[in-house]
Amino acid sequence: MNHLFEFLLRQGDNALVLGHRTSEWCGVAPALEEDIALANTALDLIGQTQLWLGYAAEVEGEGRTANDLAFRRDAYDFRNMLMVEVPNEDFGRTLMRQFFFDAFQVPWLDALQTSSDQRVAEIAAKSLKEAKYHIARSAETVIALGDGTEDSNARMQAALAYLWPYTGEVFVDDDVDRAMADQGVAPLPSTLRGQWTATVTETLTNANLVQPESGFAHAGGRSGKRHTEHLGHMLATMQTLQRSYPGAVW
Amino acid sequence: MYAQMIKSEATQDDPEMLAAFQARIDAGEKIEPKDWMPEGYRKTLIRQIGQHAHSEIVGQLPEGNWITRAPTLERKANLLAKVQDEAGHGLYLYCAAETLGVSRDELTEMLLDGRMKYSSIFNYPTLTWADMGAVGWLVDGAAIMNQVPLQRTSYGPYARAMVRICKEESFHQRQGFHIMMAMVNGSDAQKRMAQDALNRFWYPALMMFGPSDKDSVHSTQSMAWKIKMNTNDELRQKFVDETVPQAEYLGLTVPDENLRWNEETGHYDFSEPDWSEFFDVISGNGPCNTDRLNARQKAWDDGAWVREAMVAHAEKKRARKLAAE
Ligand SMILES: [Fe+2]
Ligand SMILES: [Fe+2]
Ligand SMILES: [Fe+2]
């Protein structure tokens, strides 16, 4: 197994799948400002996808492109964490997920800036600027919606309950993570858990939301061993043109 | 509809003030929110700017329909950015309308309950990826024809919104044309999609300029007020004259047997769209009217708890700050 390739797929697929989910909001957000902000987030994530998957394709060296990786792989070849592939459901879950993701991405990308791999460091530096902007907004929104009304608090609590079991996957180190840590490409994800928990606890407290007790974590996304049922549907939509017209230039 | 409203409102104003107002407009002055204006001017502008804003918002839907199916990462990003621009246009325009004393929420309610309209074009479906090309090329192209002159409209906030919007619309038009170029240079299936898109969007695009001048009784007052800068037929002709050579360049056939260059007039002769279809569409019977409004209604309803929570949170925050002082 090419560990660097796997590592890059994980970064790219997280950005791609979350960017796609976010793009599903186009035109139907709760307010015009949110439409614009969600589109902005989606755009940043699709841009990051191009960088990560572009580099992944180079590292693989099989002549594939970022677009081949995005549009011509099957679900079991995707390496995103499960959390980003579950459906948006409502604005509350969408923003809660974005916040959980951002709370990981900010310290993670920060650490990747000093990666032994120059390209990784460059992509991380560019992505970090965006992630910092994203977390300012997602944390603020989670707080507003948790604090807002009884109804909004209940909805955010439900979003939290749904997503919580998906938050732990990213912190479970595996062979790819250990190989990357050995090569100085990336820290072990488990080492970021404390920082993530501190950010999350602070924000959830300010949002009047109760952090679930359970430490249970679903797994299978980052390894590709068992995705949710939702990913296949997402890919069926996203990949339709590339699959229906192989080789066409768009 | 416009004319009737303008007449009944305008006659209530003092004739001397009306004359002074008209003199300012004739002198090329901009009218600003705090200036006196005839009630008919204000109401007509609200209607026009509101309809324009609603068109930007509803217009997100037919293109949003393909964001999740865009064929490459680049196309996905471009389309996302475009639809984001349209939301921004909606925002500028609602802000311009607000300077006339109507809130964004009020305008939204009027859209949802059918008191206000949006452009007929967005009641047509987007069925293949080529439609993303055709919409950018033809629909944004037609929008530009309409909006470039409006940069000189008499109402300051509207004119300034138009300046920002027009820059982005011409970018959208080029982006759409590039999608079409890729399609016509592609496989047989892609060429077929491109021609099919032109076939479906040509006449609806011509309808965007509104009914023929001989049937459009509302124009005179609006043109005197410089709310409307050109007649419908002038703009339609300009659009045809600019678009036909582009279609030829693409190797596509405009679906009009009567289309030909007229040496005498220096313009293309072309067939009028089916106006009975146009009136069907604006009265609610277009292919997508119900779906478009349902989608906006659903977004509005689904988002209600979010908007309420944001307001409640802002109030709580203010109260907490006051208590701490
Ligand atoms: Fe626009
Ligand atoms: Fe537009
Ligand atoms: Fe546009």
Side-chain angles (χ1 to χ4, degrees):
Chain A
M1 179 168 22
N2 183 335
H3 287 125
L4 180 59
F5 177 62
E6 286 284 314
F7 167 83
L8 293 168
L9 286 183
R10 289 176 181 188
Q11 314 314 311
D13 290 347
N14 280 343
L16 173 58
V17 173
L18 186 59
H20 183 93
R21 283 292 186 220
T22 310
S23 79
E24 292 174 350
W25 273 102
C26 175
V28 295
L32 214 35
E33 288 81 354
E34 301 304 331
D35 264 313
I36 293 171
L38 286 164
N40 216 50
T41 305
L43 268 171
D44 287 344
L45 291 169
I46 298 302
Q48 293 172 20
T49 304
Q50 291 174 287
L51 299 174
W52 289 121
L53 292 186
Y55 186 31
E58 281 177 43
V59 165
E60 186 193 36
E62 303 276 339
R64 292 203 281 184
T65 64
N67 281 323
D68 293 331
L69 292 175
F71 295 97
R72 304 287 288 275
R73 273 181 304 152
D74 293 320
Y76 45 57
D77 287 330
F78 271 72
R79 295 290 182 265
N80 57 281
M81 57 173 105
L82 298 175
M83 185 174 74
V84 295
E85 73 193 41
V86 297
N88 292 331
E89 181 69 15
D90 68 358
F91 188 75
R93 191 199 283 177
T94 302
L95 265 290
M96 183 66 83
R97 164 169 60 193
Q98 186 68 45
F99 168 66
F100 284 146
F101 183 74
D102 297 338
F104 177 77
Q105 283 301 92
V106 169
W108 176 246
L109 294 168
D110 190 28
L112 293 186
Q113 289 189 104
T114 54
S115 173
S116 62
D117 185 305
Q118 190 55 35
R119 288 282 291 283
V120 168
E122 283 165 15
I123 299 170
K126 186 185 175 292
S127 307
L128 178 62
K129 288 193 195 104
E130 296 166 346
K132 282 182 174 167
Y133 180 78
H134 296 170
I135 198 170
R137 181 176 162 274
S138 63
E140 192 180 278
T141 311
V142 165
I143 291 169
L145 297 179
D147 179 58
T149 64
E150 223 173 284
D151 178 37
S152 72
N153 180 274
R155 288 172 192 263
M156 294 310 279
Q157 194 65 56
L160 177 52
Y162 180 87
L163 290 170
W164 194 253
Y166 291 106
T167 57
E169 178 184 7
V170 73
F171 300 112
V172 182
D173 303 333
D174 65 9
D175 286 348
V176 175
D177 298 317
R178 281 183 283 272
M180 290 299 98
D182 287 346
Q183 295 168 34
V185 173
L188 286 172
S190 60
T191 61
L192 275 84
R193 182 159 215 146
Q195 216 176 329
W196 182 86
T197 305
T199 308
V200 166
T201 304
E202 193 198 337
T203 300
L204 294 184
T205 305
N206 289 334
N208 295 324
L209 294 169
V210 184
Q211 206 165 308
E213 298 277 329
S214 167
F216 175 78
H218 291 297
R222 304 172 78 227
S223 64
K225 283 186 184 139
R226 188 187 291 131
H227 279 280
T228 68
E229 290 179 345
H230 308 293
L231 183 63
H233 292 280
M234 194 197 106
L235 296 183
T237 301
M238 185 179 92
Q239 298 180 335
T240 176
L241 287 173
Q242 291 270 357
R243 298 291 195 167
S244 305
Y245 305 96
V249 177
W250 304 93
Chain B
M1 180 168 64
Y2 289 161
Q4 223 174 8
M5 242 180 96
I6 292 160
K7 208 173 177 191
S8 58
E9 296 296 335
T11 46
Q12 291 174 16
D13 292 308
D14 178 73
E16 269 178 44
M17 290 182 88
L18 271 179
F21 180 79
Q22 189 61 51
R24 289 190 63 194
I25 289 183
D26 294 343
E29 280 182 46
K30 288 274 179 270
I31 309 301
E32 294 300 331
K34 290 205 173 94
D35 298 348
W36 183 86
M37 60 186 81
E39 200 49 22
Y41 178 84
R42 196 180 66 84
K43 289 205 166 167
T44 309
L45 268 175
I46 288 177
R47 200 160 267 269
Q48 184 171 329
I49 299 174
Q51 180 172 332
H52 192 163
H54 297 328
S55 299
E56 302 284 358
I57 300 312
V58 177
Q60 293 182 90
L61 298 172
E63 292 185 290
N65 183 39
W66 280 91
I67 283 182
T68 53
R69 291 178 289 173
T72 67
L73 295 168
E74 295 75 22
R75 292 293 187 203
K76 194 181 185 71
N78 289 345
L79 189 57
L80 257 169
K82 185 198 172 194
V83 178
Q84 185 190 33
D85 286 346
E86 306 299 5
H89 298 171
L91 201 54
Y92 305 155
L93 288 162
Y94 284 127
C95 290
E98 279 178 340
T99 65
L100 293 159
V102 59
S103 74
R104 201 204 304 179
D105 283 3
E106 285 173 294
L107 288 168
T108 303
E109 298 286 357
M110 286 194 267
L111 166 70
L112 295 178
D113 69 21
R115 275 176 292 159
M116 286 186 91
K117 305 255 178 251
Y118 53 89
S119 175
S120 56
I121 192 72
F122 301 118
N123 288 313
Y124 289 88
T126 54
L127 302 178
T128 73
W129 175 252
D131 288 13
M132 296 303 97
V135 167
W137 171 39
L138 302 173
V139 175
D140 289 86
I144 293 166
M145 297 285 156
N146 251 314
Q147 292 170 16
V148 165
L150 284 174
Q151 296 178 104
R152 292 178 284 109
T153 191
S154 62
Y155 189 57
Y158 191 27
R160 289 188 289 273
M162 277 306 139
V163 172
R164 299 176 71 176
I165 290 174
C166 282
K167 278 190 202 128
E168 292 176 350
E169 297 297 8
S170 32
F171 186 74
H172 299 166
Q173 200 263 353
R174 276 199 300 277
Q175 191 172 298
F177 192 74
H178 286 146
I179 291 177
M180 290 309 260
M181 294 249 287
M183 300 297 280
V184 300
N185 289 321
S187 65
D188 287 348
Q190 287 172 297
K191 288 186 185 117
R192 183 179 165 194
M193 284 182 220
Q195 182 61 55
D196 171 65
L198 177 58
N199 292 348
R200 280 181 290 105
F201 276 100
W202 176 254
Y203 288 106
L206 295 187
M207 291 176 196
M208 285 176 70
F209 301 96
S212 168
D213 292 347
K214 60 182 190 300
D215 302 317
S216 175
V217 285
H218 325 119
S219 294
T220 324
Q221 179 65 81
S222 287
M223 289 185 75
W225 277 337
K226 295 189 187 163
I227 292 174
K228 191 176 169 76
M229 310 298 284
N230 305 82
T231 74
N232 298 348
D233 285 338
E234 278 168 18
L235 292 171
R236 192 168 12 251
Q237 183 70 58
K238 192 162 158 26
F239 174 77
V240 171
D241 289 347
E242 283 190 23
T243 308
V244 169
Q246 294 168 355
E248 281 167 3
Y249 180 83
L250 289 169
L252 296 174
T253 308
V254 174
D256 179 358
E257 287 176 359
N258 299 316
L259 183 78
R260 65 181 55 83
W261 179 252
N262 184 328
E263 281 293 346
E264 265 166 53
T265 60
H267 295 289
Y268 283 94
D269 293 336
F270 61 95
S271 301
E272 294 272 308
D274 175 356
W275 290 117
S276 67
E277 176 182 314
F278 173 75
F279 289 110
D280 274 340
V281 174
I282 59 166
S283 62
N285 291 321
C288 301
N289 295 55
T290 309
D291 288 342
R292 295 287 185 249
L293 270 186
N294 286 353
R296 286 311 309 161
Q297 183 72 56
K298 185 174 187 310
W300 184 245
D301 294 345
D302 289 352
W305 72 271
V306 175
R307 295 190 302 275
E308 281 160 24
M310 296 284 193
V311 172
H313 171 66
E315 275 166 15
K316 282 184 182 175
K317 229 167 107 178
R318 209 174 305 131
R320 280 195 290 262
K321 209 180 156 200
L322 271 176
E325 272 166 11

